[in-house]
Amino acid sequence: LKVECRILMSNLNVPRLVLLIATALLTSLWVVAVHAESMDVRIKTIVDDAKSYCEGTFEVEDNAVQRLDFNSDGIIDFSSLDFDGISCDGSYGFCGSGGCSVYLMTPVDEIRSLVRGFEIVRTKMGTPVLLQYLHGHACDEVGVVPCYRAIYIHEGRFISTR
């Protein structure tokens, strides 16, 4: 049994093929822009809400917001808002002994945690994993005992070890 596949490149099919490829490319760029914009809108809403509680000077440092290509596919698919980079004169602040409020978001999911720090590492298999450094209480320990949570993204959703 011999199977033969051919792409017909007649004058009518070439423009259609070019149009199909261009449409697919523009659609994917539009989806990326919408996803990044939706995360930016959510970040702005959270920052505006925090600002409404501030009675003094409210500042957002450049490092407070990160936008990343989490899985290295060329698409910005992860944003974080770290309140360690936000200050308000005349307020109790956004951080304490347990850490700072950090919002993590993808185009389809969002979580808020109280963390002392976080970083993205890669496993031996190359999978990106977000490690959060937490107050010891999060692991049923006293505050000085190190506690970590591992989070990865699967189809836009956060999957956590705890």
Side-chain angles (χ1 to χ4, degrees), residues 8-39:
L8 299 175
M9 300 298 263
S10 71
N11 287 339
L12 292 176
N13 287 337
V14 171
R16 285 184 188 164
L17 181 61
V18 170
L19 181 61
L20 180 64
I21 291 170
T23 302
L25 179 60
L26 289 175
T27 301
S28 66
L29 291 174
W30 177 79
V31 168
V32 170
V34 167
H35 285 176
E37 182 179 311
S38 72
M39 290 185 288

Side-chain angles (χ1 to χ4, degrees), residues 32-48:
V32 170
V34 167
H35 285 176
E37 182 179 311
S38 72
M39 290 185 288
D40 286 344
V41 167
R42 290 178 7 233
I43 287 170
K44 183 181 180 330
T45 300
I46 294 165
V47 168
D48 288 347

Side-chain angles (χ1 to χ4, degrees), residues 51-71:
K51 188 175 184 176
S52 72
Y53 291 100
C54 182
E55 296 175 3
T57 304
F58 184 83
E59 290 186 43
V60 179
E61 297 174 13
D62 291 340
N63 64 344
V65 177
Q66 293 183 40
R67 294 169 187 86
L68 304 170
D69 175 6
F70 191 79
N71 58 3

Side-chain angles (χ1 to χ4, degrees), residues 97-115:
S97 62
C100 298
S101 292
V102 173
Y103 288 83
L104 307 173
M105 56 191 73
T106 69
V108 298
D109 201 2
E110 180 178 317
I111 58 176
R112 180 191 165 274
S113 304
L114 189 62
V115 303

Side-chain angles (χ1 to χ4, degrees), residues 95-161:
C95 300
S97 62
C100 298
S101 292
V102 173
Y103 288 83
L104 307 173
M105 56 191 73
T106 69
V108 298
D109 201 2
E110 180 178 317
I111 58 176
R112 180 191 165 274
S113 304
L114 189 62
V115 303
R116 292 180 167 174
F118 68 95
E119 66 179 297
I120 297 173
V121 298
R122 292 209 175 263
T123 66
K124 287 183 180 181
M125 297 180 296
T127 305
V129 175
L130 180 90
L131 279 182
Q132 290 183 323
Y133 174 44
L134 307 172
H135 188 275
H137 182 64
C139 293
D140 300 322
E141 298 289 338
V142 295
V144 297
V145 175
C147 176
Y148 293 89
R149 176 187 303 143
I151 301 171
Y152 72 99
I153 299 173
H154 177 73
E155 295 179 356
R157 295 180 309 115
F158 291 109
I159 308 295
S160 175
T161 56

